[in-house]
Amino acid sequence: MFSLKRNIDCSRRMAVYAIFDVLDRMESNYAQEIVGDIKAEVNVLGHTSAYAFAVTEESKNTSIIHISLIHPAAELDDENKQLSVLYLMDSVFQHIDEVHAVQ
């Protein structure tokens, strides 16, 4: 399983909504739950795989975003599995940056 986690300077709630927004933009199928993991089927690099997203609150304005590739598309090699998780993480961070720029 390929996973990434990164700290981000925003509330847990904002990070969760950023994940939902990114998944919506990517027209993904997911279970929208505020508590616990968000499981989603996402098309990244032309292949649909299953991912799990979670956000851990560190403090009021600091969170940790976790993304794991839980069921990769059969065609993905290890490098593309890592790239797909990195792409999703970067997409979430970019979305949060866009939201902060507007505020």
Side-chain angles (χ1 to χ4, degrees):
M1 179 167 43
F2 291 88
S3 298
L4 269 178
K5 70 178 185 177
R6 287 191 188 163
N7 293 343
I8 187 155
D9 294 329
C10 73
S11 69
R12 179 187 181 281
R13 184 178 194 90
M14 180 179 208
V16 169
Y17 282 119
I19 291 169
F20 291 150
D21 288 347
V22 167
L23 293 174
D24 286 340
R25 282 186 189 174
M26 297 179 78
E27 299 179 356
S28 305
N29 295 319
Y30 63 92
Q32 185 171 352
E33 299 175 19
I34 297 298
V35 179
D37 287 353
I38 302 162
K39 300 225 177 7
E41 290 186 4
V42 186
N43 186 324
V44 180
L45 303 172
H47 302 283
T48 301
S49 300
Y51 299 85
F53 300 79
V55 181
T56 306
E57 184 175 73
E58 285 287 294
S59 69
K60 183 179 177 183
N61 294 314
T62 306
S63 302
I64 301 172
I65 297 176
H66 310 259
I67 301 176
S68 298
L69 175 58
I70 55 177
H71 187 81
E75 305 82 19
L76 291 179
D77 60 18
D78 285 349
E79 181 179 354
N80 283 324
K81 289 174 186 175
Q82 288 177 314
L83 285 174
S84 71
V85 175
L86 182 60
Y87 176 83
L88 289 171
M89 184 69 78
D90 288 346
S91 296
V92 171
F93 271 67
Q94 181 179 358
H95 181 72
I96 291 169
D97 286 345
E98 290 170 3
V99 170
H100 278 276
V102 171
Q103 294 178 350

